[in-house]
Amino acid sequence: QVQLVESGGGLMQAGGSLTLSCVASGRTFSSYVMGWFRQTPGKERVFVASIAWSGEYTYYADSVKGRFTISRDNAKNTVYLQMNSLKFEDTAVYVCAASSRGVSGRTRDYEYWGQGTQVTVSS
């Protein structure tokens, strides 16, 4: 089992920046691909970014490419999502996930999920 706890969400004006963190506990963090997804009320969870266990390979949704950066610190069992140039449409609950499969944008490839942290961007 892997437990995931996100933090760092909040209210930000458009154009601003936020950094989300997700701390993992349980099984060996470094062996998992980590991902960030986001969800708004009444809609399905949407892929944001993913990072390989080594951190050498990352994958982003087109909507955040060039603005968001995913990174990880295996010594701290933590994955980060640096969000710059925030837009109103980035408003969502951001959820961290862990996968024992390869880097992927598909929710079904992730076995473990956090509870999420709310990000609200005012226009």
Side-chain angles (χ1 to χ4, degrees):
Q1 282 281 32
V2 175
Q3 293 80 41
L4 304 171
V5 179
E6 303 92 336
S7 63
L11 174 64
M12 180 58 63
Q13 287 189 334
S17 298
L18 275 177
T19 299
L20 305 182
S21 300
C22 172
V23 178
S25 60
R27 294 191 174 181
T28 306
F29 173 76
S30 60
S31 64
Y32 285 89
V33 166
M34 299 301 296
W36 285 98
F37 291 76
R38 63 189 182 187
Q39 189 168 21
T40 53
K43 295 189 177 181
E44 292 187 354
R45 202 164 279 177
V46 175
F47 171 72
V48 175
S50 182
I51 187 167
W53 66 270
S54 66
E56 291 183 359
Y57 181 72
T58 57
Y59 174 48
Y60 295 93
D62 287 343
S63 59
V64 306
K65 202 173 294 183
R67 298 189 299 121
F68 290 11
T69 302
I70 188 171
S71 61
R72 65 191 296 164
D73 185 338
N74 289 339
K76 296 182 178 180
N77 286 1
T78 302
V79 62
Y80 304 96
L81 185 68
Q82 172 70 43
M83 305 186 294
N84 298 326
S85 301
L86 283 164
K87 303 177 181 180
F88 175 75
E89 51 265 40
D90 293 322
T91 296
V93 173
Y94 284 73
V95 184
C96 169
S99 171
S100 60
R101 301 178 177 90
V103 171
S104 170
R106 298 179 300 192
T107 55
R108 65 176 181 268
D109 288 337
Y110 291 80
E111 297 106 306
Y112 303 104
W113 296 85
Q115 294 298 309
T117 184
Q118 176 71 47
V119 172
T120 303
V121 183
S122 61
S123 57

